[in-house]
Amino acid sequence: MTMSKAKVLIAGAGPTGLTLPLWLTRLGVPVRIFDKAAAPGETSRALAVQARTLEFHRQIGIVDDVLAAGVKLERLTVHTPAGVAARLPLSDFGRDISPYSFAFALPQDIHERVLITHLERAGVEIERNTELVAFQDKGEAVIATLSRNGRIETVSTAYLAGCDGARSAVRHGLNIGFPGGTYEQSFYVADVKGSGEITRNGMDTTISTYGFAIVMPVRQSGSVRLIGIVPKAHEADETISFEAIRADVERDTGVKVDEVNWFSTYRVHHRVAERFRVGRVFLAGDAGHIHSPAGGQGMNTGMGDAVNLAWKLAAVVQGRADARLLDSYEPERIAFAHKLIENTDTAFRFITSRSRLVGLFRRYLMPKILNIALHTSIGSRAFFGVISQAAIQYRAGPISSGVAGKVSGGDRLPYVACNIMGAGGDNFEPLRSLDWQIHVYGEVNCDFRAMLAPTGIAVHAFAWTDAAGKAGLQRDAAYLVRPDGHVALASPVQEAAVFQRYLAGLAIRPRTAERAPYRVPGTMHSLA
């Protein structure tokens, strides 16, 4: 048996599996990651990269490479058989909510390559052609048996993470149920080159009485993705070729197809695992939840799982928090998975319903409602909050506490743009430390700062602005922020004892390398 130097063994090298070791290595935790595939995927698959995912990428320093590889979507154009019904702005519809206030598309295969490049730079190589044969949680360690090209290896590691997809060997090994179902409609997805009335750097959707179709840019070279419902006449076909439904696809999408790079049909499942954790073994991504593609949430949710798990594992492995911190992973992420299933299920059934009454509403009234809603500040902000995952909150979670202003423990830290000595900046900049920190928007009480100094937790003072108030923050309140940018404790008053009790309750200590206060280059002790 090999006593692995890796503290965390990761099964699966998709977006979730790649995000987990990237965060862990940034946090100084040695890992091993393996995948049964011989090479990364070469099809585009998931396209939407939400703002919350881009915020996470910024924290570990890879967001610029991700943005350079994809396409910012400027507008959503809604078509009906009668013509263009609405043009909805996407280039800045999340203004003041996130530094990434736009819709963004990046094919999953390219996204994975960016993540792999950064992982390799961190000295981590993905072990290909490797399968998990068996594993056992021994209480103090996980013993895993791996098979690589017929060679068997038995490994001892502290924790095992199953990021190995909907058919997860880790989930099966834990004997965890995966309840849910399958939608009745079959869908097609195709990456093509062609011509037509396509919105440049945008997204087109066609809504008819009996269905819908979507056109999105896939690559900067000009390919587009077509998504829609398989025509009813072909639903029962054992195999469906693109040529068989070409006429329907071209009619519904408005795209004359010249070249097909990839085509597939599929049935959509919606399932959530009964557990996301058993002892030292965790599930993340599609291993724990799968749902409809409505809103482009799936891949982003898996990557969010990985971030949530990574900082908690790192803290426990390095002795910077009590092992009870890991107990918060499942309730926080499984609650969101269930809510996501509920929301995407409702949306999916509506946009795919073949009811004539629903179809008429979808064709004639929905574009008008969307047009009105997304051209108002309230409507566009609400839509962005849901789609971008910036509205994810863990208020009911076991490590969330307090309320100050409109911000509760468990909420994502509200984004506030700041003017840092004449240059642009924001209150998310200190989150690059991947460490616990306290934020005060206004004046920091000297006694409060002095009493918290022994904890080693950095206290960041931001000048009070109207923008901070509009974001829901309270002047002179104190917010304990987790390494993932969520507020752990919100206090309307700067009472050090409250924060000391919280930190002591989970035995939280900051990262050794980051105990000195984080400073933005060129500033003094605060951001203003």
Side-chain angles (χ1 to χ4, degrees):
M1 181 173 67
T2 303
M3 298 299 292
S4 179
K5 293 181 180 179
K7 296 296 184 181
V8 182
L9 183 64
I10 301 162
T16 301
L18 293 169
T19 300
L20 182 56
L22 271 171
W23 271 70
L24 286 170
T25 52
R26 292 290 194 277
L27 289 162
V29 177
V31 302
R32 281 183 68 178
I33 176 172
F34 64 90
D35 195 288
K36 64 181 180 181
E42 295 183 352
T43 53
S44 59
R45 293 164 288 163
L47 271 178
V49 182
Q50 305 298 354
R52 189 66 180 121
T53 300
L54 294 173
E55 291 171 4
F56 289 142
H57 284 345
R58 176 186 176 182
Q59 284 190 254
I60 59 173
I62 69 172
V63 71
D64 290 342
D65 287 349
V66 170
L67 290 174
V71 179
K72 294 181 182 179
L73 303 182
E74 297 174 0
R75 185 169 58 251
L76 167 63
T77 304
V78 181
H79 305 261
T80 69
V84 174
R87 287 188 173 92
L88 311 173
L90 298 178
S91 60
D92 197 24
F93 72 127
R95 181 187 303 175
D96 300 329
I97 299 177
S98 172
Y100 309 104
S101 58
F102 43 83
F104 183 70
L106 175 63
Q108 183 176 328
D109 57 329
I110 298 177
H111 198 166
E112 287 180 5
R113 280 183 226 154
V114 175
L115 301 179
I116 290 168
T117 296
H118 282 276
L119 198 57
E120 289 174 343
R121 288 177 187 170
V124 178
E125 181 182 351
I126 299 167
E127 300 172 37
R128 296 286 180 184
N129 295 306
T130 303
E131 293 190 58
L132 181 67
V133 176
F135 64 91
Q136 188 174 6
D137 186 343
K138 291 289 190 178
E140 297 300 318
V142 176
I143 309 301
T145 303
L146 307 179
S147 174
R148 182 175 186 178
N149 297 325
R151 177 176 167 269
I152 300 296
E153 178 188 7
T154 303
V155 181
S156 175
T157 188
Y159 296 97
L160 171 64
C163 307
D164 49 345
R167 294 182 176 85
S168 171
V170 176
R171 190 185 67 245
H172 284 294
L174 293 171
N175 198 29
I176 292 176
F178 202 33
T182 306
Y183 296 106
E184 62 180 73
Q185 295 92 345
S186 293
F187 287 78
Y188 67 80
V189 57
D191 289 348
V192 308
K193 288 190 176 181
S195 58
E197 295 298 318
I198 303 170
T199 303
R200 180 176 174 79
N201 290 338
M203 175 177 170
D204 294 86
T205 181
T206 300
I207 301 172
S208 66
T209 305
Y210 292 107
F212 82 104
I214 295 173
V215 181
M216 287 182 68
V218 176
R219 304 175 195 276
Q220 293 170 323
S221 61
S223 294
V224 294
R225 167 168 292 187
L226 312 178
I227 304 171
I229 303 175
V230 170
K232 198 166 187 177
H234 294 277
E235 273 189 338
D237 294 358
E238 189 170 332
T239 57
I240 303 171
S241 67
F242 179 80
E243 290 304 322
I245 62 172
R246 173 190 283 270
D248 297 275
V249 171
E250 292 185 337
R251 181 198 66 220
D252 292 344
T253 63
V255 175
K256 184 181 183 304
V257 176
D258 299 322
E259 180 183 333
V260 179
N261 299 321
W262 176 55
F263 173 75
S264 181
T265 59
Y266 61 98
R267 299 280 294 278
V268 175
H269 299 265
H270 49 102
R271 301 179 185 276
V272 178
E274 293 172 342
R275 299 286 308 277
F276 279 15
R277 178 200 182 184
V278 177
R280 290 178 171 269
V281 185
F282 298 84
L283 300 179
D286 287 356
H289 48 82
I290 51 175
H291 32 77
S292 90
Q297 302 294 297
M299 179 187 69
N300 295 275
T301 301
M303 297 172 89
D305 293 342
V307 173
N308 188 292
L309 180 58
W311 70 265
K312 294 172 182 177
L313 279 173
V316 172
V317 163
Q318 295 170 344
R320 295 185 287 104
D322 189 277
R324 290 183 295 110
L325 179 63
L326 292 172
D327 295 341
S328 65
Y329 170 71
E330 179 178 283
E332 287 187 348
R333 295 308 295 179
I334 204 169
F336 176 64
H338 280 295
K339 183 178 181 181
L340 185 62
I341 286 282
E342 180 182 340
N343 292 342
T344 57
D345 183 69
T346 300
F348 196 70
R349 291 185 187 280
F350 174 74
I351 62 175
T352 61
S353 172
R354 285 202 166 107
S355 159
R356 180 168 176 77
L357 185 61
V358 172
L360 290 171
F361 176 85
R362 193 169 56 213
R363 175 176 173 178
Y364 293 105
L365 292 181
M366 191 172 78
K368 294 179 180 179
I369 294 171
L370 285 173
N371 200 36
I372 294 171
L374 295 188
H375 279 91
T376 66
S377 175
I378 294 175
S380 62
R381 286 173 63 88
F383 182 63
F384 180 85
V386 173
I387 293 295
S388 69
Q389 300 201 345
I392 292 176
Q393 49 84 10
Y394 306 129
R395 292 183 180 183
I399 61 171
S400 301
S401 180
V403 181
K406 295 180 181 178
V407 179
S408 297
D411 289 353
R412 162 186 166 273
L413 177 70
Y415 168 71
V416 182
C418 309
N419 182 19
I420 304 174
M421 297 187 69
D426 58 48
N427 65 329
F428 279 17
E429 186 65 18
L431 300 181
R432 291 177 183 265
S433 70
L434 307 185
D435 207 357
W436 291 86
Q437 55 197 265
I438 292 172
H439 284 207
V440 175
Y441 298 80
E443 298 294 326
V444 179
N445 182 290
C446 292
D447 290 341
F448 178 71
R449 188 188 291 273
M451 291 181 69
L452 286 172
T455 68
I457 303 291
V459 178
H460 299 288
F462 298 79
W464 178 255
T465 61
D466 289 342
K470 289 178 181 177
L473 296 158
Q474 179 177 318
R475 187 168 190 165
D476 298 337
Y479 302 90
L480 177 63
V481 184
R482 307 172 357 171
D484 61 354
H486 281 264
V487 174
L489 169 64
S491 173
V493 294
Q494 295 176 37
E495 186 176 343
V498 172
F499 289 80
Q500 290 168 335
R501 283 195 297 270
Y502 183 97
L503 295 169
L506 288 168
I508 292 167
R509 293 188 296 111
R511 298 173 62 204
T512 303
E514 298 292 345
R515 286 190 180 177
Y518 182 94
R519 295 179 185 174
V520 178
T523 70
M524 297 300 288
H525 292 276
S526 64
L527 305 179

